[in-house]
Amino acid sequence: MTGGRSSGSDSPGSDDTFDELIGDPAPEVDVAPEEEAAVDGSAVEPAPGRLGVWRSVVSRNRALWITAAVAVVALVGGLLLGRFVMAPASAASDDAPAPGLVTVPVEFGALSNDVTIRSDVGFADPVEVMIDTSTISGPAVVTGQVPEIGAELGPLSVALEVAGRPVITLPGELPAYRTLRFGVSGPDVAQFKEAMRDVGIDAGDPGNDVFDEQASNAVTALYAAVGYTGPESEEDGESSVRAAQEGVRGAEQALSSARTALASAGRDGNAIARADLDIANARAVLQGARDNGAPWDEIVAAQNQVATAELAREQLNAAPDTSAERAAVESAQSQLSQAQDDLARARQQALPALPAGEVLYLTELPRRVDAVAAERGGILSGAAMTVSGATVALTGSAAEADAKLLQVGATATFALPDGAEHTATVTEVAPGADGESRWQVTLQPAELSADQIVQLQGTNVRVVIAVGATAGDVLSVPAAALTAGPGGETRVEVVEGDPRDPDARTRLVVVETGLSAGGAVEVRPTEGELAADDLVVVGR
């Protein structure tokens, strides 16, 4: 046997079992011959062999053993430190001074309650311009007057030229949806008359919503004001007028002829005059015979002459039958009246009309051109351009609870690109469309320079709107400083001396409260004195 293992290797306490527990077996240790002889006699103890094994284990895992030793030392040191070093410090804390009062100073200055929103900066009320091209015979080619971005459209401006005809801008909110011609009526007619009055053209009373001859004549004046000829009348308008005029002349001639025929068929005025003369002569002869004492037979003869003349006159008094001639006159009169009506209608139909595609109604003129889709030489389709108000507006939204605090005319502030504060005025507060929970808020900024408008256009700014403010500087304290007294009065506790001193004296001051804003409350002392920078208790 060359190793230091005992022959009883199968026993539970053998070195083989130990080797299995610790992993790889330790290297065999050579022993002296006398030791080997002693083994045979079972007189030598196995202790030296196990000691070598442990030495080998320690040497092969030295780093692990060192780490474990350091951890044990740190644990023991921490326990000792907590027991003998920290404990005295905790005990010493029992002798620390009691905490003082929590106070804040009374503020003096203006107090306001604000609503803050985000708003987009742009020109007010942008709308897309749609032009009716249904009345144009042929393609709606843009032939000119295409505006540039930034141009302004005012009353009597030509927004565009399509197929050689102008699109005239007029004040109004109802879009043009039909051609206005003689005889039509409705709100669009009243709007046209009102627009004409605004531009200095008399189209009649706007209270009368009928497009009459005066309104038609105003169309001609409108086109003359923008340098264009009036719209062409219907194709057969002029020929219809000429035909109607010929009809009137023919009816007038027919009536004259019928009247002449009636006169010819009536009593003969000359014969009646001659009969009257014969009667007068016969009566004169009879009277002369009587005056001269003529013989009876001459007087009788003269009497017979008078009777004959009177009988002839009576026969002339009988009226002839002129019913046919009178009927002809009545018919001619009716035909003349019909011809005159036809002429009036023809003239009315030939009066100037206002095509729907040649007028553009816009509210709040002048308007600024923001975008142009139409191109000269192109076919007009869809929106021709986008226009907006000529003034800059701030448009944003607010929660319903905040919006109900806002009023038209309220003052607001926002920051310019250079950081300077600028004012604005609330012009509209309206509920959101289609059941939206947020309300729309529109503001009009104070006058801006051209450079400022360019810098602000299209930006989003923070707007602060004052919904309540004190009339000057007031005393204010945090809401936490207010307490209720036994009688329901409101009080503040004022500290006299150093608030860090637990024995500092305090006094109660009864106050009236005012505006509350941003956690601060306006206060006015009613019992006791209160001044700016006084320290009031908000906690203990």
Side-chain angles (χ1 to χ4, degrees):
M1 184 173 180
T2 58
R5 297 181 180 176
S6 65
S7 59
S9 61
D10 294 334
S11 65
S14 67
D15 288 341
D16 290 338
T17 302
F18 181 78
D19 290 343
E20 291 176 358
L21 293 175
I22 65 174
D24 294 337
E28 295 183 354
V29 181
D30 295 334
V31 297
E34 60 272 15
E35 293 176 348
E36 185 176 356
V39 171
D40 293 338
S42 301
V44 181
E45 296 181 358
R50 292 187 177 183
L51 181 59
V53 171
W54 278 104
R55 288 176 178 173
S56 175
V57 170
V58 171
S59 63
R60 293 178 59 192
N61 298 278
R62 181 173 300 175
L64 178 61
W65 288 106
I66 293 174
T67 302
V70 171
V72 170
V73 172
L75 175 60
V76 173
L79 293 174
L80 294 176
L81 180 65
R83 175 68 181 86
F84 297 105
V85 179
M86 299 298 295
S90 290
S93 65
D94 294 337
D95 299 330
L101 300 173
V102 180
T103 61
V104 294
V106 176
E107 299 288 343
F108 181 72
L111 193 63
S112 65
N113 195 10
D114 303 328
V115 171
T116 302
I117 63 174
R118 302 294 305 186
S119 295
D120 294 324
V121 183
F123 287 92
D125 192 19
V127 294
E128 290 186 337
V129 173
M130 306 292 292
I131 298 175
D132 182 10
T133 59
S134 60
T135 59
I136 299 176
S137 58
V141 180
V142 178
T143 53
Q145 300 285 2
V146 180
E148 296 181 354
I149 295 177
E152 285 192 359
L153 299 180
L156 297 181
S157 294
V158 177
L160 206 63
E161 184 183 271
V162 182
R165 300 300 301 165
V167 178
I168 306 172
T169 304
L170 292 176
E173 60 181 14
L174 183 64
Y177 59 90
R178 63 173 176 173
T179 296
L180 298 183
R181 54 173 50 90
F182 184 88
V184 301
S185 61
D188 52 344
V189 177
Q191 176 176 263
F192 169 75
K193 290 184 177 182
E194 186 68 38
M196 291 298 93
R197 174 175 291 183
D198 290 343
V199 298
I201 299 175
D202 186 8
D205 182 11
N208 178 12
D209 66 351
V210 177
F211 198 81
D212 50 18
E213 185 172 354
Q214 187 174 6
S216 296
N217 293 332
V219 173
T220 302
L222 170 64
Y223 280 82
V226 296
Y228 282 81
T229 58
E232 296 181 359
S233 59
E234 298 181 1
E235 295 181 359
D236 58 347
E238 293 298 329
S239 60
S240 296
V241 172
R242 288 193 295 268
Q245 289 173 339
E246 291 295 333
V248 170
R249 283 193 291 268
E252 289 174 343
Q253 292 174 358
L255 177 60
S256 177
S257 298
R259 286 173 174 172
T260 300
L262 176 61
S264 302
R267 292 173 296 180
D268 187 354
N270 294 331
I272 292 174
R274 287 193 299 269
D276 291 338
L277 181 59
D278 290 343
I279 292 172
N281 291 334
R283 288 175 177 175
V285 170
L286 175 61
Q287 186 64 37
R290 287 174 177 174
D291 292 341
N292 295 327
W296 177 249
D297 56 344
E298 290 183 8
I299 293 175
V300 171
Q303 290 177 341
N304 290 337
Q305 284 290 351
V306 171
T308 300
E310 290 177 349
L311 179 59
R313 179 67 180 84
E314 289 178 1
Q315 291 177 345
L316 291 175
N317 285 337
D321 183 10
T322 58
S323 58
E325 288 78 6
R326 287 197 301 272
V329 170
E330 291 176 358
S331 176
Q333 287 176 335
S334 177
Q335 292 176 359
L336 177 59
S337 178
Q338 182 64 44
Q340 289 172 339
D341 290 343
D342 292 342
L343 177 59
R345 282 193 296 271
R347 284 174 173 168
Q348 291 169 357
Q349 292 175 356
L351 287 172
L354 182 63
E358 296 188 14
V359 63
L360 173 63
Y361 290 104
L362 293 173
T363 59
E364 299 179 2
L365 293 175
R367 289 278 187 158
R368 180 183 185 275
V369 178
D370 289 338
V372 180
E375 297 181 357
R376 186 173 184 178
I379 304 297
L380 186 61
S381 177
M385 64 188 73
T386 301
V387 299
S388 62
T391 58
V392 174
L394 280 65
T395 56
S397 63
E400 182 177 357
D402 290 337
K404 290 184 176 180
L405 299 175
L406 304 180
Q407 293 182 350
V408 173
T411 301
T413 58
F414 67 98
L416 295 174
D418 60 2
E421 191 175 83
H422 200 74
T423 61
T425 304
V426 177
T427 58
E428 182 181 9
V429 181
D434 300 329
E436 293 181 359
S437 59
R438 297 187 67 81
W439 287 39
Q440 299 300 313
V441 182
T442 304
L443 304 98
Q444 176 69 50
E447 185 177 357
L448 296 165
S449 67
D451 291 341
Q452 289 172 333
I453 292 176
V454 172
Q455 294 172 357
L456 285 170
Q457 174 74 357
T459 62
N460 183 274
V461 296
R462 178 177 178 269
V463 181
V464 179
I465 308 170
V467 296
T470 57
D473 295 337
V474 296
L475 297 174
S476 62
V477 299
L482 301 176
T483 60
E489 69 275 14
T490 302
R491 308 175 305 180
V492 294
E493 186 177 4
V494 181
V495 178
E496 295 182 344
D498 188 354
R500 294 172 296 181
D501 183 358
D503 297 326
R505 295 178 56 190
T506 63
R507 56 186 173 87
L508 294 175
V509 178
V510 179
V511 296
E512 290 182 346
T513 59
L515 179 67
S516 176
V521 182
E522 176 189 1
V523 291
R524 295 180 295 275
T526 59
E527 295 183 16
E529 295 182 356
L530 187 67
D533 297 328
D534 282 351
L535 298 179
V536 292
V537 178
V538 295
R540 295 179 182 275

